[in-house]
Coordinates of all heavy atoms in Angstrom, one line a residue:
K670 N -11.5 -3.2 -4.2 CA -12.4 -3.9 -3.3 C -11.9 -5.4 -3.1 O -11.9 -5.9 -2.0 CB -13.8 -3.9 -3.8 CG -14.8 -4.6 -3.0 CD -16.2 -4.6 -3.5 CE -17.1 -5.4 -2.7 NZ -18.5 -5.3 -3.2
A671 N -11.6 -6.0 -4.2 CA -11.1 -7.4 -4.1 C -9.8 -7.5 -3.3 O -9.7 -8.4 -2.5 CB -10.9 -8.0 -5.5
A672 N -8.9 -6.6 -3.5 CA -7.7 -6.6 -2.7 C -8.0 -6.4 -1.2 O -7.4 -7.0 -0.3 CB -6.7 -5.5 -3.2
R673 N -8.9 -5.5 -0.9 CA -9.3 -5.2 0.5 C -9.9 -6.5 1.1 O -9.5 -6.9 2.2 CB -10.3 -4.1 0.6 CG -10.9 -3.9 1.9 CD -12.0 -2.8 2.0 NE -13.1 -3.0 1.1 CZ -14.1 -3.8 1.4 NH1 -14.1 -4.6 2.4 NH2 -15.2 -3.9 0.5
E674 N -10.8 -7.1 0.4 CA -11.4 -8.3 0.9 C -10.4 -9.5 1.0 O -10.5 -10.3 2.0 CB -12.6 -8.7 0.0 CG -13.7 -7.8 0.1 CD -14.8 -8.0 -0.9 OE1 -14.6 -8.8 -1.9 OE2 -16.0 -7.5 -0.7
D675 N -9.4 -9.5 0.1 CA -8.4 -10.6 0.3 C -7.6 -10.4 1.5 O -7.1 -11.4 2.1 CB -7.4 -10.5 -0.9 CG -8.0 -11.1 -2.2 OD1 -9.1 -11.8 -2.1 OD2 -7.4 -10.9 -3.3
L676 N -7.4 -9.2 2.0 CA -6.7 -8.9 3.3 C -7.6 -9.1 4.5 O -7.2 -9.0 5.6 CB -6.2 -7.5 3.3 CG -5.0 -7.2 2.4 CD1 -4.6 -5.7 2.4 CD2 -3.8 -8.0 2.9
G677 N -8.9 -9.3 4.2 CA -9.9 -9.5 5.3 C -10.2 -8.2 6.0 O -10.6 -8.2 7.1
L678 N -10.1 -7.1 5.2 CA -10.4 -5.8 5.8 C -11.8 -5.4 5.4 O -12.3 -5.6 4.3 CB -9.4 -4.7 5.3 CG -8.0 -4.9 5.7 CD1 -7.1 -3.9 5.0 CD2 -7.8 -4.7 7.2
E679 N -12.5 -4.7 6.3 CA -13.8 -4.1 6.1 C -13.6 -2.7 5.6 O -12.6 -2.1 5.8 CB -14.7 -4.1 7.3 CG -15.0 -5.5 7.9 CD -15.9 -6.3 7.0 OE1 -16.7 -5.7 6.3 OE2 -15.7 -7.5 7.0
Q680 N -14.6 -2.1 4.9 CA -14.5 -0.7 4.4 C -14.2 0.2 5.6 O -13.4 1.1 5.5 CB -15.8 -0.3 3.8 CG -16.0 -0.8 2.4 CD -17.3 -0.3 1.7 OE1 -18.3 0.1 2.4 NE2 -17.3 -0.2 0.4
Q681 N -14.9 0.0 6.7 CA -14.7 0.9 7.9 C -13.2 0.9 8.3 O -12.7 1.9 8.7 CB -15.6 0.5 9.0 CG -15.5 1.3 10.2 CD -16.4 1.0 11.3 OE1 -17.4 0.3 11.1 NE2 -16.2 1.4 12.5
Q682 N -12.6 -0.3 8.3 CA -11.2 -0.4 8.8 C -10.3 0.3 7.8 O -9.4 1.0 8.3 CB -10.8 -1.9 8.8 CG -11.5 -2.6 9.9 CD -11.4 -4.1 9.8 OE1 -11.5 -4.7 8.8 NE2 -11.0 -4.8 10.9
V683 N -10.5 0.2 6.5 CA -9.7 0.9 5.6 C -9.9 2.4 5.7 O -8.9 3.2 5.7 CB -9.9 0.4 4.1 CG1 -9.2 1.3 3.1 CG2 -9.5 -1.0 3.9
G684 N -11.1 2.8 5.9 CA -11.5 4.2 6.1 C -10.7 4.8 7.3 O -10.2 5.9 7.2
E685 N -10.7 4.0 8.4 CA -10.0 4.5 9.6 C -8.5 4.6 9.3 O -7.8 5.6 9.7 CB -10.2 3.6 10.7 CG -11.6 3.6 11.3 CD -11.9 2.6 12.3 OE1 -11.0 1.8 12.7 OE2 -13.1 2.5 12.7
L686 N -7.9 3.7 8.5 CA -6.5 3.7 8.2 C -6.1 4.9 7.4 O -5.0 5.4 7.5 CB -6.1 2.4 7.5 CG -6.1 1.1 8.4 CD1 -5.9 -0.1 7.5 CD2 -4.9 1.2 9.4
I687 N -7.0 5.3 6.4 CA -6.6 6.4 5.5 C -7.3 7.7 5.8 O -7.1 8.6 5.1 CB -6.8 5.9 4.0 CG1 -8.2 5.6 3.7 CG2 -5.9 4.8 3.7 CD1 -8.4 5.3 2.2
G688 N -8.2 7.6 6.8 CA -8.8 8.9 7.2 C -10.0 9.3 6.4 O -10.2 10.5 6.3
V689 N -10.8 8.4 5.9 CA -12.1 8.8 5.2 C -13.2 7.9 5.6 O -13.0 6.9 6.3 CB -11.9 8.6 3.6 CG1 -10.8 9.6 3.1 CG2 -11.6 7.2 3.2
G690 N -14.4 8.3 5.3 CA -15.6 7.5 5.7 C -15.9 6.4 4.7 O -15.3 6.3 3.6
R691 N -16.8 5.5 5.2 CA -17.2 4.4 4.3 C -17.8 4.9 3.0 O -17.7 4.2 2.0 CB -18.2 3.5 5.1 CG -17.5 2.7 6.1 CD -18.5 1.7 6.8 NE -19.1 0.8 5.9 CZ -20.3 0.4 6.0 NH1 -21.1 0.7 7.0 NH2 -20.8 -0.5 5.1
G692 N -18.5 6.0 3.0 CA -19.1 6.5 1.8 C -18.1 6.8 0.7 O -18.3 6.5 -0.5
A693 N -17.0 7.4 1.1 CA -15.9 7.7 0.1 C -15.3 6.4 -0.4 O -15.1 6.3 -1.6 CB -14.8 8.5 0.8
L694 N -15.2 5.4 0.4 CA -14.7 4.1 0.0 C -15.7 3.4 -1.0 O -15.3 2.8 -2.0 CB -14.3 3.2 1.1 CG -13.1 3.6 1.9 CD1 -12.8 2.7 3.1 CD2 -11.9 3.7 1.1
R695 N -16.9 3.5 -0.6 CA -18.0 2.9 -1.4 C -17.9 3.5 -2.8 O -18.0 2.8 -3.8 CB -19.4 3.1 -0.8 CG -20.5 2.5 -1.6 CD -21.9 3.0 -1.1 NE -22.9 2.7 -2.0 CZ -23.2 3.4 -3.1 NH1 -22.4 4.5 -3.4 NH2 -24.2 3.1 -3.9
N696 N -17.8 4.8 -2.9 CA -17.8 5.5 -4.2 C -16.5 5.0 -5.0 O -16.6 4.8 -6.2 CB -17.7 7.0 -4.0 CG -19.1 7.6 -3.6 OD1 -20.1 6.9 -3.8 ND2 -19.1 8.7 -3.0
I697 N -15.4 4.8 -4.4 CA -14.2 4.4 -5.1 C -14.5 2.9 -5.6 O -14.2 2.6 -6.7 CB -13.0 4.4 -4.1 CG1 -12.6 5.8 -3.9 CG2 -11.8 3.6 -4.8 CD1 -11.5 6.0 -2.8
E698 N -15.1 2.1 -4.7 CA -15.3 0.7 -5.1 C -16.3 0.5 -6.2 O -16.2 -0.5 -6.9 CB -15.6 -0.1 -3.8 CG -14.4 -0.3 -2.9 CD -14.8 -1.1 -1.7 OE1 -15.9 -1.5 -1.5 OE2 -13.8 -1.4 -0.9
I699 N -17.2 1.4 -6.4 CA -18.2 1.3 -7.5 C -17.8 2.1 -8.7 O -18.5 2.1 -9.7 CB -19.6 1.6 -7.0 CG1 -19.7 3.1 -6.6 CG2 -20.1 0.7 -5.9 CD1 -21.2 3.6 -6.4
G700 N -16.6 2.8 -8.6 CA -16.2 3.5 -9.7 C -16.8 4.9 -9.9 O -16.8 5.4 -11.0
A701 N -17.4 5.4 -8.8 CA -18.1 6.7 -8.9 C -17.1 7.8 -8.7 O -17.3 8.7 -7.8 CB -19.2 6.7 -7.9
F702 N -16.0 7.9 -9.4 CA -15.1 9.0 -9.4 C -14.4 9.0 -10.7 O -14.5 8.1 -11.6 CB -14.0 8.7 -8.2 CG -13.2 7.5 -8.4 CD1 -11.9 7.6 -8.7 CD2 -13.8 6.2 -8.2 CE1 -11.1 6.4 -8.9 CE2 -13.0 5.1 -8.3 CZ -11.7 5.2 -8.6
S703 N -13.7 10.1 -11.0 CA -13.2 10.3 -12.4 C -11.8 10.9 -12.4 O -11.3 11.4 -13.4 CB -14.1 11.2 -13.2 OG -14.2 12.5 -12.6
R704 N -11.1 10.9 -11.2 CA -9.7 11.3 -11.2 C -9.0 10.6 -10.0 O -9.7 10.2 -9.0 CB -9.6 12.8 -11.1 CG -10.1 13.4 -9.8 CD -10.0 15.0 -9.9 NE -10.5 15.5 -8.6 CZ -9.7 15.8 -7.6 NH1 -8.5 15.6 -7.6 NH2 -10.3 16.3 -6.5
V705 N -7.7 10.4 -10.2 CA -7.0 9.8 -9.1 C -6.6 10.8 -8.0 O -6.0 11.8 -8.3 CB -5.7 9.2 -9.7 CG1 -4.8 8.6 -8.6 CG2 -6.0 8.1 -10.7
T706 N -7.1 10.6 -6.8 CA -6.9 11.5 -5.7 C -5.9 10.9 -4.7 O -5.6 9.7 -4.8 CB -8.3 11.7 -5.0 OG1 -8.7 10.5 -4.4 CG2 -9.3 12.3 -5.9
P707 N -5.5 11.7 -3.8 CA -4.6 11.1 -2.7 C -5.3 10.0 -2.0 O -4.7 9.0 -1.5 CB -4.3 12.3 -1.8 CG -4.4 13.5 -2.7 CD -5.5 13.1 -3.7
T708 N -6.7 10.1 -1.8 CA -7.4 9.0 -1.1 C -7.3 7.7 -1.9 O -7.1 6.6 -1.3 CB -8.9 9.4 -0.9 OG1 -8.9 10.6 -0.1 CG2 -9.7 8.3 -0.3
V709 N -7.5 7.8 -3.2 CA -7.4 6.6 -4.0 C -6.0 5.9 -3.9 O -5.8 4.7 -3.7 CB -7.7 6.9 -5.5 CG1 -7.4 5.7 -6.4 CG2 -9.2 7.3 -5.7
R710 N -5.0 6.8 -4.0 CA -3.6 6.3 -3.8 C -3.4 5.7 -2.4 O -2.7 4.6 -2.3 CB -2.6 7.4 -4.1 CG -2.6 7.8 -5.6 CD -1.3 8.1 -6.2 NE -1.4 8.6 -7.5 CZ -1.4 7.9 -8.6 NH1 -1.3 6.6 -8.6 NH2 -1.5 8.5 -9.8
A711 N -3.9 6.3 -1.4 CA -3.8 5.8 0.0 C -4.5 4.4 0.1 O -3.9 3.5 0.8 CB -4.3 6.8 1.0
Y712 N -5.6 4.3 -0.5 CA -6.3 3.0 -0.5 C -5.5 2.0 -1.2 O -5.3 0.9 -0.6 CB -7.7 3.2 -1.3 CG -8.6 2.1 -1.2 CD1 -10.0 2.3 -1.5 CD2 -8.3 0.8 -0.8 CE1 -10.9 1.3 -1.4 CE2 -9.2 -0.2 -0.7 CZ -10.5 0.0 -1.0 OH -11.4 -1.0 -1.0
A713 N -4.9 2.3 -2.3 CA -4.0 1.3 -3.0 C -2.8 0.9 -2.1 O -2.5 -0.3 -2.1 CB -3.6 1.9 -4.3
R714 N -2.2 1.9 -1.5 CA -1.1 1.5 -0.6 C -1.5 0.6 0.5 O -0.8 -0.3 0.9 CB -0.4 2.8 -0.1 CG 0.5 3.5 -1.1 CD 1.3 4.6 -0.5 NE 0.5 5.6 0.1 CZ 0.0 6.7 -0.5 NH1 0.2 6.9 -1.8 NH2 -0.7 7.6 0.2

């Protein structure tokens, strides 16, 4: 989340870039997941 904000990106923009909704990004940003998925890696990239 901090890295996203440093780039000036909104959740919706990152979601569009990696093909997921804001809810999925919200869950990642609050730590509501327990395995590294392709979505998490795409967010990091």
